[in-house]
Structure formats: structure tokens, C-alpha cells
Amino acid sequence: MSLYTEENWNEFIEKTEDGYKVKSYPHVDPIFNFPSSKHKLKAILSDTTGIKVSNHAFAPFLKTLQKTPRYRYQEASDKYKLETKIRPISFASHFDTYILGFYSYSLNKKYQKYITDHNFSDPILAYRSDLNGKCNIQFAKEAFDNVKARVNSKGTCSAIALDIKGYFDHVDHRVLKLMWLKVIGLDELPKDQYHIFRTITKYSYINYISFLKHFDINLKAIEKEQKKKYPDRKFAPKGYNSILDLIPNDLAGPSYKEKMGYLRKMNLITINRNKDRSLSKNGIPQGSSISALLSNIYLLDFDKELYEKAIKEGFSYRRYCDDLLIICDTDRVNELKNYVMNLMIDKYKLTIQDKKTEIIDFKLSLQAKVRGFKRHYNKDTTDFEELPNTNSNFKNLQYLGFEFDGQKIFIRPGSLSRYFRKLKARIVKTVGMSYSKNSKSHKIFKQQIYSRYSHFGKRNFLSYALNAAKKEYSNLDGEVKEGMNSPAIKKQISKHMKIIHQEILKTSEQRRKQKKAKTLNK
């Protein structure tokens, strides 16, 4: 049973080439220009016997660490503190990315049909193309409206936010295969799909930092040298087509095969193994173009079971990848929390940590307004206990980048902080370029700043926040969508243009003084 059809291929082309940008990240193969070279890909994928795909030698993934600064609320100090979340990301080679991408696209169509046909498509919010243009704005508003309705009806309700620990690293291969078979309706995986399954479960990878250290490679120095060599080019060549070009030929040989062999010999290619060196039966690489879909497929039966229980017993369940949200009656919090945790560990070998679970009770404050209140986790009983409805116990429900306090909806503080950090970094870079020795004028080009970080941009954080603040908005396809109708969000971002102008002036003045000081010293 082949996933290849001309319809799937043409849809995949349209999706991939819409706003296409060449993926320029370094890997073991050269950059692959999809629009001009897609025929090479089609020659492999269109073999409906599956032989060409099953014979394809997938390259090792390239593993790197993605660092994300973010503000997190600290219970002990009752303050938000800047933390850095480190997440291992594994990239497939340029050519392999499109093979995995096509299988992801085609398999996702079958997955979406399965959950629709079996009537449990509502709770799954991530990595789908059949959501009728809905995004996190509508999903978050739906959850907050659910809270309001329950409070209006019963006077109180609770939200349980659960997070799966190390989701991608703990996916059980046996369960994943069974769920994959359910989606395609077969007893055995076709040879090409089995090869994809093996590639994503018995995967190998090169640790990018270890690779660079082993060969004492300084990429910034190499690229800087290229810019000196080609000063008139807007985009100077990097000086290498793939990271294998950085391995000296006299050390490993000139060919791809010889250099990959050398990396294996030096133990720079790692296979997904356990500590005892046996092949691991758990884990898929986070970052590949098919991993997100497989994270949905893996919880196929879980989503069905929990959603059917929710319908029957009158609570709400939603899942966005590894983030779960349950909205229920206050007296059912610990019962449902324990049910979900036990189901996860017993059937799916996944863990939900109590310390990362947040439970918010919505009820009347002492000022007679509905507010969110945190619960206390009792380590001895493993239950979450209600706290007095005093101001010191206020806690907002955070969901999909937004916050709800029982009355108002806000942009999450961490999202705003990240936006302003990126804005300031972009201004420093732009102003620095205008004052550099290669600059032909001291004119500061603000267009890119406005496009990326102001309401003038069509697809950026600010335009997204403004859409969220409105009662209704039109998306890029011209479709009218429901916003959150939130004056609080408008207030949060109302001064962004003033901040942009102030930062440009401040940074420009600093650079002007630095340049003047250098001139006087000379």
C-alpha cells in the first residue's frame, strides 16, 4: 500500500513551495533546492513498489542544542525569573528532510481521516492541516470560554495543565508501530514505510558540537574569511558545501563514503542505544519533519479513550503535543489527575511529573470577582490541595501563549519578554551595520525592524498579538476568524512603536559616541 499518489505529490509541492526558502543549515550533504531539483525526489518517491525508498541510505541526523530563554514563575520567591530551556534538536540531511516530509504529509492525511472517522478529532490541536484555519488564538479562547461557562453554571471550576516529561525521548517503538498500523489499516508496514519507521526509531546522529571540537573547526572564522575574499557579494559563499568538506582529505579521503567511514571509526556517529550499548526501544529524534506527526499518532488510543471519557463524564480534554489541559469540576481534580498519570505510565511508558503539573481553581475572590487560585501539592498524599482565596494565592491559567485570570486575557509575560529581547538584538545589529566601516552611509534601515517587530509586518508576533486582541480579524487567506476581544492585550502592546523608536535612538547615540571616541584616539 503506497502512500504515493499524484494528488499527494502535487499537494506536497504546493505546500513546500508556498513561501519557499532554501534550508541553509550545515549538514553532511549540500543544500537541496527543492523547486529546481524536486524531480530527483520524485524519482524515488513515485516508485509505488517502495523498493527505491527502502533501499535509500538515510544519512545520520545532526544533533544540536536549542537554547530558549524564557521567564518562569518561581513559587519560592513569588517572582518571574529568566531561565534557559535547553532542548536537543536533530536535523535530517537536506535531501532526507524532503523524503521524511513527504511521508509525513501523506501519512498525516490518513491520521486525520482516522480521528475524524472515529469521532475524536476535537481534542488534538497540534500538527494538523484540517483545522479550518484555526490557530492558538481560537484554541485558547475556547478553553477560557469553557472556564467562564462552567463558573457561570456552577460557581467554580478547575483547570489541570499537565506536561509529559521528555516526550520524544520516551516514545515506545512497539506502541508507535501498532498505532501506525492502525492509521493505515494494515497488519504489517509496507517495506518503504517500515524503512522510514526504522530510520526514525533506530536512528543515528552526529553531535554537531563534538564534530566541530574534534576537528578544531571555527565556522565563524571560515565564513569571515569568505566575506573578506568576496567583499562585493551580498551573500558571500560559506567556504564549504557540507560539513564533510571541513574534514581534511589527507585525514579521511576525499569521498563521501570515506569521510562517513572515518566519522564512524572516530565514534562521532552515535546510534540510539541504551547505556548497556543495546539498541534502544524508545525515542524518536525531535526536530525531524515526521517526528511531530508521530507524536500525535503515538497517543492515538490515549486521545480516543480520554476524549470519550470526557464526553461521558462532562469534563473537557485538549492536547497540544506534550501539553494536556483538562477543565473539570473542582472536586474531581485529583481523581482525574491520577487517572491520566496512571494511564500514561501503564500503557504508553510516559511520565507526567506532579511538580510540573499546574492546577488552577476558578472561584470568587474576597473582592467578589472570579479569579484563578493556585493549589498546593502535598508530597505525602500526592494530592493537590485547595488554598484560601486570598490575593497571595492568585494564579493565572497559562495556555498556548496566553494567560487568563478569570476576568481578562493577556499575552503570556514570557512571550512578551522574548519579543522585546529579539527586538533589541535586531536594533543593535541594524544600527551596528549602519556605523560599520563598510557602510556607505550612516542611514539606519528600519524597514526590516518594522517588518519583523511592529504592527506593519504581516506575519510576526505583533500582528499576531493584535489579531488576538480584536473581536474578529482576517487571516492571510482573507478568512474572518474570531479573536479574543481583549483590551488587556491591546494595552500590553500599545507602546511597542514608542519602544522601537527609543531603542533605535539610544543605540544609535551609543554607536555614534563609540565611533567618535575611536576617531579621536586615532
Side-chain angles (χ1 to χ4, degrees):
M1 181 183 178
S2 175
L3 289 177
Y4 181 88
T5 65
E6 284 297 316
E7 179 185 3
N8 284 353
W9 173 248
N10 290 329
E11 290 173 355
F12 178 66
I13 289 174
E14 184 179 356
K15 172 181 173 289
T16 305
E17 293 185 349
D18 181 25
Y20 177 77
K21 290 182 180 179
V22 173
K23 300 179 189 297
S24 59
Y25 59 85
H27 215 291
V28 298
D29 64 341
I31 291 169
F32 183 79
N33 190 306
F34 180 83
S36 62
S37 303
K38 55 180 175 275
H39 61 279
K40 297 178 182 176
L41 190 69
K42 185 177 182 181
I44 294 176
L45 296 173
S46 60
D47 174 22
T48 54
T49 66
I51 293 174
K52 288 186 178 180
V53 169
S54 61
N55 288 337
H56 176 70
F58 283 89
F61 289 86
L62 196 65
K63 191 173 187 177
T64 186
L65 297 178
Q66 186 181 78
K67 297 180 180 180
T68 308
R70 58 181 186 174
Y71 276 94
R72 295 298 297 269
Y73 178 75
Q74 309 295 317
E75 291 278 356
S77 60
D78 194 31
K79 292 180 180 178
Y80 283 91
K81 181 181 177 183
L82 184 64
E83 295 179 347
T84 300
K85 182 175 182 178
I86 300 176
R87 180 188 288 114
I89 301 294
S90 299
F91 298 97
S93 72
H94 294 287
F95 189 74
D96 293 350
T97 289
Y98 291 103
I99 294 179
L100 296 175
F102 176 79
Y103 273 83
S104 176
Y105 179 81
S106 302
L107 188 58
N108 191 40
K109 289 177 69 175
K110 289 191 173 293
Y111 166 76
Q112 290 173 168
K113 185 177 186 305
Y114 184 94
I115 61 176
T116 301
D117 289 349
H118 290 78
N119 300 313
F120 67 101
S121 64
D122 286 352
I124 304 124
L125 307 179
Y127 315 129
R128 290 175 56 189
S129 60
D130 61 343
L131 295 169
N132 194 30
K134 286 186 176 181
C135 68
N136 289 359
I137 294 172
Q138 288 80 46
F139 299 145
K141 184 178 186 300
E142 180 191 75
F144 301 152
D145 285 349
N146 191 330
V147 170
K148 290 178 186 177
R150 287 173 181 270
V151 171
N152 289 338
S153 172
K154 299 186 177 183
T156 183
C157 83
S158 296
I160 311 172
L162 307 110
D163 179 79
I164 302 172
K165 180 183 177 182
Y167 184 19
F168 289 85
D169 292 335
H170 293 91
V171 166
D172 184 287
H173 298 163
R174 182 187 61 82
V175 175
L176 176 61
K177 186 179 178 183
L178 289 174
M179 297 303 104
W180 190 323
L181 289 168
K182 271 194 176 185
V183 167
I184 63 175
L186 295 177
D187 295 327
E188 289 293 334
L189 290 176
K191 64 180 80 175
D192 58 326
Q193 292 184 51
Y194 181 71
H195 189 51
I196 299 292
F197 171 78
R198 291 280 296 182
T199 297
I200 214 72
T201 55
K202 311 301 179 187
Y203 64 95
S204 61
Y205 63 89
I206 298 168
N207 186 304
Y208 191 37
I209 300 300
S210 299
F211 173 87
L212 296 178
K213 285 183 177 179
H214 181 87
F215 294 104
D216 194 23
I217 296 167
N218 186 333
L219 288 181
K220 288 186 178 179
I222 293 172
E223 292 175 11
K224 188 176 181 180
E225 188 63 32
Q226 289 295 304
K227 287 180 181 179
K228 286 182 181 179
K229 199 172 180 180
Y230 303 96
D232 296 329
R233 289 195 188 181
K234 188 176 181 181
F235 299 103
K238 290 183 176 180
Y240 57 94
N241 289 318
S242 81
I243 62 171
L244 297 186
D245 294 342
L246 301 171
I247 304 174
N249 290 345
D250 57 358
L251 192 66
S255 71
Y256 175 91
K257 185 177 179 179
E258 288 171 317
K259 290 187 176 182
M260 292 299 288
Y262 182 80
L263 292 178
R264 290 188 182 90
K265 182 181 176 183
M266 294 292 104
N267 293 319
L268 289 171
I269 297 180
T270 306
I271 298 175
N272 183 28
R273 295 182 184 275
N274 297 312
K275 290 182 179 180
D276 63 1
R277 303 300 296 161
S278 62
L279 284 174
S280 176
K281 296 179 181 179
N282 301 87
I284 58 175
Q286 185 173 359
S288 85
S289 47
I290 198 173
S291 294
L293 167 64
L294 296 183
S295 74
N296 270 349
I297 289 177
Y298 185 71
L299 290 178
L300 194 74
D301 282 355
F302 174 86
D303 289 330
K304 187 174 187 294
E305 181 173 341
L306 193 55
Y307 182 63
E308 288 176 351
K309 181 180 176 69
I311 295 296
K312 182 179 178 181
E313 300 179 11
F315 63 91
S316 171
Y317 162 63
R318 294 292 184 269
R319 180 176 66 82
Y320 193 99
C321 190
D322 56 355
D323 291 324
L324 285 66
L325 180 69
I326 291 173
I327 300 172
C328 63
D329 293 345
T330 299
D331 59 359
R332 297 201 63 193
V333 162
N334 289 302
E335 170 206 341
L336 289 174
K337 183 266 296 183
N338 291 333
Y339 175 84
V340 172
M341 293 179 75
N342 292 333
L343 182 62
M344 276 285 185
I345 192 67
D346 292 343
K347 289 189 177 181
Y348 302 95
K349 310 298 185 285
L350 297 173
T351 303
I352 292 175
Q353 291 178 294
D354 269 324
K355 66 179 183 179
K356 291 191 75 175
T357 297
E358 284 193 343
I359 295 179
I360 312 296
D361 293 326
F362 288 93
K363 53 189 176 181
L364 287 177
S365 68
L366 297 178
Q367 291 77 33
K369 290 184 178 180
V370 175
R371 291 296 302 269
F373 296 87
K374 62 186 176 183
R375 282 204 181 195
H376 168 70
Y377 175 63
N378 187 321
K379 292 181 181 179
D380 296 326
T381 64
T382 70
D383 281 345
F384 284 83
E385 299 171 345
E386 291 188 58
L387 294 172
N389 55 346
T390 56
N391 292 2
S392 61
N393 292 325
F394 281 161
K395 187 71 182 289
N396 296 344
L397 170 61
Q398 291 194 3
Y399 189 54
L400 301 180
F402 298 94
E403 281 195 355
F404 180 58
D405 67 358
Q407 299 287 323
K408 301 175 183 177
I409 300 174
F410 306 89
I411 295 287
R412 195 166 58 90
S415 300
L416 279 176
S417 299
R418 184 163 58 251
Y419 156 73
F420 284 115
R421 282 198 306 273
K422 288 183 176 181
L423 165 63
K424 291 176 182 180
R426 180 69 256 178
I427 288 173
V428 168
K429 187 173 183 179
T430 300
V431 172
M433 289 169 64
S434 70
Y435 278 91
S436 71
K437 60 182 180 181
N438 295 326
S439 177
K440 295 179 181 178
S441 73
H442 287 175
K443 184 177 180 181
I444 298 171
F445 294 95
K446 303 174 186 176
Q447 184 176 354
Q448 191 180 68
I449 295 172
Y450 291 154
S451 176
R452 292 186 183 181
Y453 299 101
S454 83
H455 61 285
F456 293 115
K458 291 184 178 180
R459 188 181 289 179
N460 61 29
F461 175 80
L462 249 297
S463 61
Y464 176 77
L466 280 171
N467 286 341
K470 296 175 183 176
K471 186 175 182 179
E472 289 182 340
Y473 68 93
S474 296
N475 62 19
L476 293 175
D477 296 325
E479 301 168 328
V480 177
K481 296 297 175 185
E482 187 179 18
M484 294 182 165
N485 193 22
S486 171
I489 293 178
K490 286 183 182 178
K491 187 176 180 180
Q492 283 180 293
I493 59 177
S494 61
K495 296 181 180 179
H496 77 276
M497 285 302 295
K498 183 179 179 180
I499 292 170
I500 288 174
H501 291 145
Q502 287 176 341
E503 284 296 320
I504 290 174
L505 287 172
K506 183 182 77 173
T507 308
S508 180
E509 180 63 16
Q510 289 172 345
R511 292 306 301 257
R512 187 189 67 78
K513 287 179 179 179
Q514 289 172 3
K515 192 161 188 175
K516 185 177 180 180
K518 285 182 180 179
T519 303
L520 290 173
N521 287 335
K522 286 181 180 179

